[in-house]
Amino acid sequence: MNQIASLNRRGFLQVSAALGAFTLGIRVPEAGAQGVAPQGAAQGATSPEVNAWVVVKPDDSIIIRIARSEMGQGTLTGLAQLVAEELNADWSKVSTEYPTPGQNLARNRAWGNMSTGGSRGIRESHEVVRKGGAAARMMLVEAAARGWGVPVTECRAANSTITHTPSGRTTTYGKVAEAAARLTPPTDIPLRDPKDWTIAGKPLPRLDTVDKTNGKQVYGADLTLPGMLNAAIRDCPVFGGKVASFDAAKVAGMPGVKKVVPVGETAVAVVADTWWRAKTALDALPITWDNGPNAQVSSASIAEVLKAGLEAPEAAIGNRAGDAKAAIAGAAKRVEATYGYPFQNHATMEPMNATALWTPERCEVWTPTQNGEAALAAASEAAGLPPNKCEVYKIHLGGGFGRRGAVHDWVRQAVDIAKQMPGTPVKLLWSREEDMIHGRYHPITQCKLTGALDAQGNLTGLAMRISGQSIVAGIFPQNIRDGRDPVVFQGLSPGGEEGAFGYAIPNILIDHAMRNPHVPPGFWRGVNLNQNAVYVECFMDELAHAAGKDPLEFRRALLKNSPKHLAVLNAVAERGGWGQPAPEGRARGLAQIMGFGSYVAACAEVSVSPAGDLTIHKITAATDPGHAVNPQQIAAQVEGSFVYGLSAALHGECTVAEGRIEQENFDTYSVMRMAEMPAVEAILMPSGGFWGGVGEPTIAVAAPAVLNAIFAATGKRVRQLPLKHADLRRA
């Protein structure tokens, strides 16, 4: 490995910890020609590279390096399309690989930020990866021109072939790649206008689909290494508790058991020749817990703390204009409602896992992670070794949703166990129960909204108090300033690309009373946009009905200065049949919001039986992400967003009793069944000029559109999710 960049261990750990689900863009320098190991350490270096992003082999096959993580969202293919577009590559010859975070550090972060969260994979990488592809193309063309002794301006590249236009001579990328790798990278790198794209912007099949369907794809849970042992772990079920004692002698003689080890102060692991034997011994291991100061906390006690925050005198302000309190005091009609949103689990299909190999000289980790650099920082700290003595090999994720991004507790555990088995690779795999009760949960909040209507039914003022948990305070407390977590206000901010509030209300006050229970929060897919969309969009419906106005027209009047918000709303209203009679027994609801750089809206069509049984028949969804790199994949992401968002709305809830999460498996933490899934019509309407996210924003409009449709069908407002607790029989 090359000499590490000039960054000490403490500095690296601090930087990597800050690179969570929400990060700032980083300009990536061109790297010199060096070898890089493909996914998995044992494969060694490949052919000389043209630049950090592109390797062209003599047989004309092309490897495109992708720094962001693939977890089912299609980032791998989308980023490869952007590189291949500027490279003028033959797409049929393209494959991908991950550079490692250790290589990124050693090469002065040539690949930049490796974090994959906040729907930032493409929107933060597009410029640098496009320039990587364009620079590689320019170098390949220059190498060919030098070989022919002709001006570069007489040569052009297309489909991995370079042609000297006057003479008709041709060569391929593979034949000139080695010469190109020796050239100085260009500094002036023009990019193609998206209207001229031929690879990007097209609905190409994903590059990872075949391996996932034929069983070739290896996930972290599948990984095997020579001489590998397996570990099962049990952590104190109450957050803040620890191990009081355990009796290793009781299981030491069980089949396959190699060792019983403490993991920090809070957990115990059994290491055995197979995972099932480790798990069986762990189940038989006598453990006494010290449940600590949170042993009596319950959902009810947490709810009371949040309720008090709704009336607290102090709160951090996220959006303020005019005088909302005065407007409300002088209103012709005042409307008030309180909503609530529960803890929710990421519930990835693949539980947390990592394989670690530790020696006093080096530590290596194989793991599915949304942020390779943060995983490397966690491994380094747990190993007691500097980052340049550690490495992380990233594996495709069997689900991430934010759980595998900012917090790498399972990596620390795996390294801790491996340190107690020096020289032996150990794979730690959490059980489903361990995964469910030791998550980093979607934050719990309550929200009180008060609106002021004048005599004509116009909204003149809005006060919105959010009381509840801060993800940033729980994960990156150093980023809290004056008690304010900016991420709390996603979709509610007066401006900015992360989520600008589109409604023009002359008097507005949106603030947050931070109340942090002991259950740790995490960046859950859609993050705070999810509950904020429920609060705002359901209350907009309440205001419209109180004003005696159509919910669409009420919103349109308030969005007259926000054309992109309005455009997606109009699109779903038109396509969803708003204003036309719904099929008999059905009703419709609307929602819109802006988040993760994109504008989204939904129209839901539902029916509710006399017994109160809900059927969601259809969702019409519109997304404006600015630019669309792979329209087919965006449509799939929108559909998947509704699976995730509606699962949460219908079923998703984690409750607390005696300090611990009660839901331990999918029998008590339900997800949507196929029979519950509505038809989804995805309207993609990229307006250009900006780069928005795709994987998360549409989730936010799932619940409010359905909740508003339920009101239209039944006359009942549901203000506390999930819907499984609601009585939907007609009012």
Side-chain angles (χ1 to χ4, degrees):
M1 180 176 286
N2 299 331
Q3 186 175 356
I4 195 167
S6 57
L7 185 68
N8 64 28
R9 179 169 175 249
R10 178 178 295 275
F12 172 74
L13 296 176
Q14 291 172 339
V15 169
S16 298
L19 295 172
F22 293 86
T23 52
L24 298 175
I26 297 172
R27 182 173 176 82
V28 181
E30 289 292 334
Q34 302 176 46
V36 65
Q39 184 180 343
Q43 299 180 55
T46 65
S47 304
E49 64 186 28
V50 180
N51 63 17
W53 303 98
V54 176
V55 171
V56 182
K57 293 186 176 182
D59 65 358
D60 292 325
S61 61
I62 297 170
I63 299 172
I64 294 176
R65 301 215 179 95
I66 306 298
R68 308 284 177 150
S69 299
E70 178 58 52
M71 48 189 155
Q73 83 282 35
T75 290
L76 190 82
T77 299
L79 289 172
Q81 283 180 259
L82 289 172
V83 175
E85 176 66 48
E86 299 293 345
L87 184 61
N88 284 0
D90 180 345
W91 181 252
S92 69
K93 293 182 169 61
V94 168
S95 62
T96 63
E97 69 181 20
Y98 290 134
T100 70
Q103 292 157 346
N104 197 35
L105 183 62
R107 294 174 60 169
N108 296 309
R109 302 189 77 232
W111 291 278
N113 181 8
M114 290 185 156
S115 174
T116 312
S119 293
R120 292 174 178 270
I122 286 176
R123 67 180 173 126
E124 275 197 349
S125 299
H126 65 91
E127 183 177 5
V128 68
V129 301
R130 291 166 70 200
K131 285 187 175 181
R137 183 198 72 243
M138 294 167 71
M139 295 164 73
L140 290 162
V141 171
E142 182 181 349
R146 289 190 179 193
W148 287 326
V150 300
V152 170
T153 55
E154 294 181 357
C155 302
R156 62 180 179 85
N159 207 37
S160 294
T161 298
I162 303 164
T163 302
H164 179 232
T165 303
S167 68
R169 285 179 291 179
T170 64
T171 189
T172 66
Y173 284 0
K175 292 177 181 177
V176 299
E178 190 171 348
R182 294 192 292 267
L183 298 176
T184 300
T187 55
D188 182 15
I189 309 172
L191 297 176
R192 186 166 297 170
D193 192 310
K195 68 180 176 58
D196 299 323
W197 282 350
T198 59
I199 296 175
K202 305 303 178 185
L204 301 179
R206 284 174 50 161
L207 295 173
D208 55 336
T209 299
V210 173
D211 285 355
K212 289 178 177 178
T213 55
N214 65 18
K216 184 178 178 181
Q217 175 63 50
V218 174
Y219 291 92
D222 306 320
L223 183 72
T224 60
L225 295 174
M228 185 182 78
L229 296 176
N230 295 269
I233 195 167
R234 182 163 296 150
D235 209 330
C236 183
V238 178
F239 294 107
K242 59 185 180 181
V243 176
S245 65
F246 63 93
D247 189 354
K250 294 290 187 181
V251 301
M254 291 182 68
V257 171
K258 304 297 182 182
K259 201 168 188 178
V260 181
V261 298
V263 184
E265 294 185 341
T266 69
V268 183
V270 175
V271 181
D273 55 355
T274 70
W275 184 81
W276 186 248
R277 285 178 164 178
K279 172 67 164 54
T280 301
L282 183 64
D283 289 342
L285 180 67
I287 306 174
T288 302
W289 302 109
D290 173 1
N291 288 326
N294 301 312
Q296 301 307 313
V297 177
S298 67
S299 289
S301 67
I302 293 172
E304 286 301 313
V305 171
L306 269 58
K307 182 179 178 181
L310 295 176
E311 305 295 341
E314 299 296 327
I317 296 172
N319 191 349
R320 179 166 57 185
D323 190 338
K325 292 182 179 179
I328 291 167
K333 180 181 281 190
R334 173 175 167 166
V335 182
E336 186 172 295
T338 299
Y339 284 77
Y341 205 90
F343 291 120
Q344 292 170 334
N345 203 316
H346 296 84
T348 61
M349 288 307 295
E350 179 189 27
M352 301 303 108
N353 67 86
T355 300
L357 174 61
W358 185 91
T359 68
E361 294 78 32
R362 184 167 175 80
C363 179
E364 295 177 290
V365 174
W366 293 257
T367 191
T369 172
Q370 292 177 237
N371 187 345
E373 291 182 298
L376 180 61
S380 170
E381 189 167 60
L385 295 169
N388 65 336
K389 298 295 184 183
C390 302
E391 186 58 284
V392 170
Y393 305 105
K394 193 164 60 174
I395 303 171
H396 282 0
L397 288 66
F401 314 126
R403 176 63 179 94
R404 290 181 158 104
V407 178
H408 287 77
D409 44 345
W410 74 94
V411 170
R412 296 174 187 273
Q413 290 177 342
V415 173
D416 193 340
I417 296 166
K419 283 179 69 176
Q420 299 176 72
M421 308 286 291
T424 301
V426 180
K427 178 166 70 177
L428 171 66
L429 174 64
W430 285 16
S431 66
R432 174 61 60 192
E433 291 75 14
E434 193 71 15
D435 195 86
M436 296 295 283
I437 66 173
H438 288 288
R440 294 296 183 269
Y441 301 88
H442 189 292
I444 188 169
T445 58
Q446 294 180 14
C447 183
K448 181 179 179 180
L449 303 103
T450 308
L453 298 171
D454 66 16
Q456 290 73 45
N458 299 309
L459 182 61
T460 60
L462 174 68
M464 181 174 175
R465 163 63 62 86
I466 301 169
S467 174
Q469 205 161 17
S470 161
I471 303 172
V472 172
I475 296 179
F476 304 132
Q478 69 275 15
N479 293 340
I480 296 292
R481 295 289 184 271
D482 299 321
R484 184 177 182 273
D485 173 1
V487 180
V488 164
F489 301 104
Q490 275 187 304
L492 308 176
S493 300
E497 68 173 29
E498 282 305 324
F501 191 68
Y503 294 116
I505 304 170
N507 302 286
I508 189 169
L509 175 62
I510 302 176
D511 57 17
H512 174 223
M514 190 184 298
R515 299 294 184 270
N516 292 316
H518 76 295
V519 176
F523 294 105
W524 189 98
R525 187 181 180 189
V527 198
N528 292 296
L529 196 69
N530 296 321
Q531 67 267 25
N532 290 347
V534 170
Y535 301 156
V536 170
E537 288 303 292
C538 290
F539 193 60
M540 281 295 164
D541 244 48
E542 296 205 41
L543 290 166
H545 285 283
K549 296 184 178 183
D550 175 79
L552 173 61
E553 297 306 324
F554 187 78
R555 287 177 171 84
R556 280 174 169 167
L558 294 169
L559 292 172
K560 59 186 178 182
N561 298 327
S562 300
K564 293 187 186 300
H565 291 78
L566 184 57
V568 290
L569 178 64
N570 284 336
V572 298
E574 179 181 357
R575 197 76 65 87
W578 192 269
Q580 303 172 19
E584 185 175 357
R586 299 186 186 184
R588 300 186 179 111
L590 293 169
Q592 70 78 34
I593 203 160
M594 185 256 184
F596 301 97
S598 291
Y599 302 82
V600 295
C603 178
E605 188 171 290
V606 312
S607 64
V608 180
S609 75
D613 297 322
L614 171 68
T615 301
I616 307 169
H617 297 279
K618 182 181 179 182
I619 297 276
T620 305
T623 302
D624 178 2
H627 293 291
V629 175
N630 189 316
Q632 177 178 295
Q633 185 54 34
I634 292 174
Q637 278 288 283
V638 169
E639 293 176 15
S641 292
F642 283 108
V643 176
Y644 207 71
L646 292 177
S647 284
L650 293 171
H651 308 293
E653 178 187 37
C654 294
T655 55
V656 178
E658 297 182 342
R660 60 176 290 169
I661 296 294
E662 293 187 281
Q663 292 73 25
E664 296 189 358
N665 212 313
F666 288 121
D667 60 334
T668 50
Y669 190 82
S670 297
V671 295
M672 208 173 185
R673 276 27 177 202
M674 290 183 69
E676 297 175 292
M677 184 64 194
V680 175
E681 181 182 3
I683 306 169
L684 180 59
M685 41 194 302
S687 59
F690 65 97
W691 293 77
V694 170
E696 293 175 275
T698 316
I699 295 174
V701 290
V706 168
L707 292 173
N708 289 335
I710 289 171
F711 174 79
T714 67
K716 282 194 168 183
R717 289 287 177 193
V718 179
R719 300 189 179 98
Q720 177 67 52
L721 291 176
L723 276 160
K724 67 181 181 181
H725 298 310
D727 179 358
L728 298 184
R729 290 173 294 181
R730 287 183 179 274

